Amino acid sequence: MKARELLLKTVVFYLLFYICRFSFFSIMPIVAEELGLTHMSLAWISSILFVGYAVMLIPSGFLADKYNPVNVLLTGSIISSSSNMLMALAASEDWLKILMFINGIGQGMGWAPLIKLLTVKMDKAKIGLAIGFLMSSAVIGPSIAYTVASIIAYISNWKMSLIIPALVLLAYSTTFRRMKTVSESTELSLNCIKNANAWLIGFSYLFFYAVYRGFLVWMPTFLYEKTGLYLFSSIYSSILSATGALSGYIGYYLSLKLYKGKMKKIIAYSMLAAILPCLALSYEGNNIYLLTWLFAFYFLLSLPLWLFFIYPPKIFPMKVVGTITGFIDSLGYLGNFTGTLILGLAYSVSTTGRELFYLMAVLLLAGSTFSLFIRE
């Protein structure tokens, strides 16, 4: 299989994974009305998916390193597809919680095995760009998932919003079944995560993701309270999120042209540069002032988006790429959870909103500091 064809297959595959991960979120109001669920119930049901996801990240990477990563991907797609279809039949909150957790387990078997597969199958000179494009599919994935699920629900019903994407993922995953990779080790251990570089990359990503994803959760609320425009706030937040795909490519390009492929300075300088518009947002201004600084903030913040997961195939042995990828991603999701929580608390106790941006500036400073110690 040609490199371009493989990359296209993996991007489409991960987009289908994302649709099965996020479809439920777009139909929650309909499900809540039909099953009589409260907002608290929906919060538990939706958040438990990410618990399952985080739990499976390191094991899936380990399995991808030790065995054929394609087998891990196929297993994950079967688990995720099955749980989505069963959710369409669930008639209680408890069953939805159980099935969402199982869905998270299946979803956690996607990212690290895909990175491993690209590392094994693609030329090393092209692996950075390939992982970047795969990362971009994760950036635009939620928007596509919401759109697809909403259209299906509008045309048919909410249950088909879960069943149809699940069947498509299941069918598409079979195109991978004949793809073989050979494990380099039959006695792999988790000792690789004791590597100092793995922790430095992971902690830098943790602080980066705490701001990148944490604030993204609160951005529509922040914009709405500042502008009073609900639909505009949601659309502008989606646009800023999508710019991460372009900004991530620019950051990767700059690392090649300015630093001959070394990435830690782009990571550090981008996070440091993002502090300026972050602090500017702490001051009151008109809507133009707010939207301009917000765009500058997210553009600069997104520059290193591709780079964290280019590190595993670049500086670690191929036999541990899956495990290292899962480890870094697990720390990122810890940052996602923590960032969403503490940024929300800072915003809720603040009368002006300034504390929210001061806290993000501190997190960005911490992330940039860890990145400067990465050995390339």
Side-chain angles (χ1 to χ4, degrees), residues 82-352:
S82 301
S83 58
N84 270 267
M85 288 186 283
L86 289 172
M87 275 193 288
L89 303 176
S92 70
E93 177 183 342
D94 290 340
W95 272 111
L96 283 173
K97 287 178 181 177
I98 293 170
L99 291 169
M100 282 292 273
F101 179 78
I102 295 172
N103 188 27
I105 294 292
Q107 287 287 321
M109 301 174 79
W111 181 247
L114 281 173
I115 297 292
K116 176 69 174 187
L117 181 63
L118 289 175
T119 303
V120 172
K121 291 290 188 179
M122 297 199 70
D123 185 271
K124 194 169 185 178
K126 299 178 180 179
I127 189 64
L129 193 61
I131 291 175
F133 278 116
L134 185 62
M135 190 73 191
S136 294
S137 70
V139 173
I140 65 175
S143 298
I144 293 177
Y146 290 157
T147 302
V148 170
S150 298
I151 291 173
I152 295 174
Y154 178 77
I155 295 174
S156 180
N157 57 66
W158 69 267
K159 295 183 178 182
M160 297 308 295
S161 295
L162 297 171
I163 293 172
I164 292 176
L167 291 174
V168 174
L169 172 61
L170 200 58
Y172 191 78
S173 65
T174 60
T175 63
F176 282 80
R177 70 183 187 279
R178 296 181 181 177
M179 198 180 298
K180 302 296 181 183
T181 61
V182 179
S183 173
E184 293 190 11
S185 174
T186 56
E187 297 182 359
L188 198 61
S189 72
L190 295 176
N191 288 332
C192 59
I193 62 175
K194 296 179 181 179
N195 185 288
N197 253 359
W199 285 94
L200 290 169
I201 298 167
F203 273 115
S204 181
Y205 187 56
L206 182 153
F207 287 110
F208 166 80
Y209 223 49
V211 177
Y212 180 82
R213 284 291 193 186
F215 182 57
L216 190 61
V217 170
W218 294 104
M219 193 192 306
T221 302
F222 169 76
L223 278 174
Y224 173 66
E225 293 180 356
K226 294 294 184 180
T227 66
L229 303 171
Y230 173 72
L231 183 59
F232 173 80
S233 299
S234 298
I235 293 174
Y236 195 73
S237 298
S238 298
I239 291 172
L240 288 186
S241 177
T243 60
L246 174 61
S247 187
Y249 172 76
I250 294 173
Y252 173 67
Y253 178 82
L254 291 174
S255 73
L256 294 177
K257 295 299 180 182
L258 299 180
Y259 303 110
K260 298 180 179 179
K262 294 186 177 181
M263 301 180 292
K264 67 180 183 180
K265 290 184 178 179
I266 294 294
I267 295 174
Y269 296 163
S270 297
M271 284 196 274
L272 289 173
I275 291 176
L276 175 61
C278 179
L279 293 177
L281 287 166
S282 67
Y283 293 92
E284 294 293 333
N286 59 31
N287 288 347
I288 299 299
Y289 174 92
L290 172 68
L291 299 177
T292 301
W293 281 114
L294 195 55
F295 180 84
F297 171 62
Y298 247 81
F299 179 81
L300 291 170
L301 180 63
S302 301
L303 286 173
L305 186 62
W306 286 21
L307 304 182
F308 296 99
F309 291 102
I310 295 176
Y311 271 123
K314 185 174 181 179
I315 65 175
F316 292 95
M318 184 181 293
K319 64 182 181 180
V320 299
V321 165
T323 306
I324 293 294
T325 299
F327 174 71
I328 294 171
D329 204 17
S330 66
L331 288 179
Y333 266 82
L334 175 61
N336 184 0
F337 172 80
T338 307
T340 301
L341 179 63
I342 63 174
L343 293 180
L345 289 173
Y347 192 49
S348 65
V349 301
S350 173
T351 56
T352 63

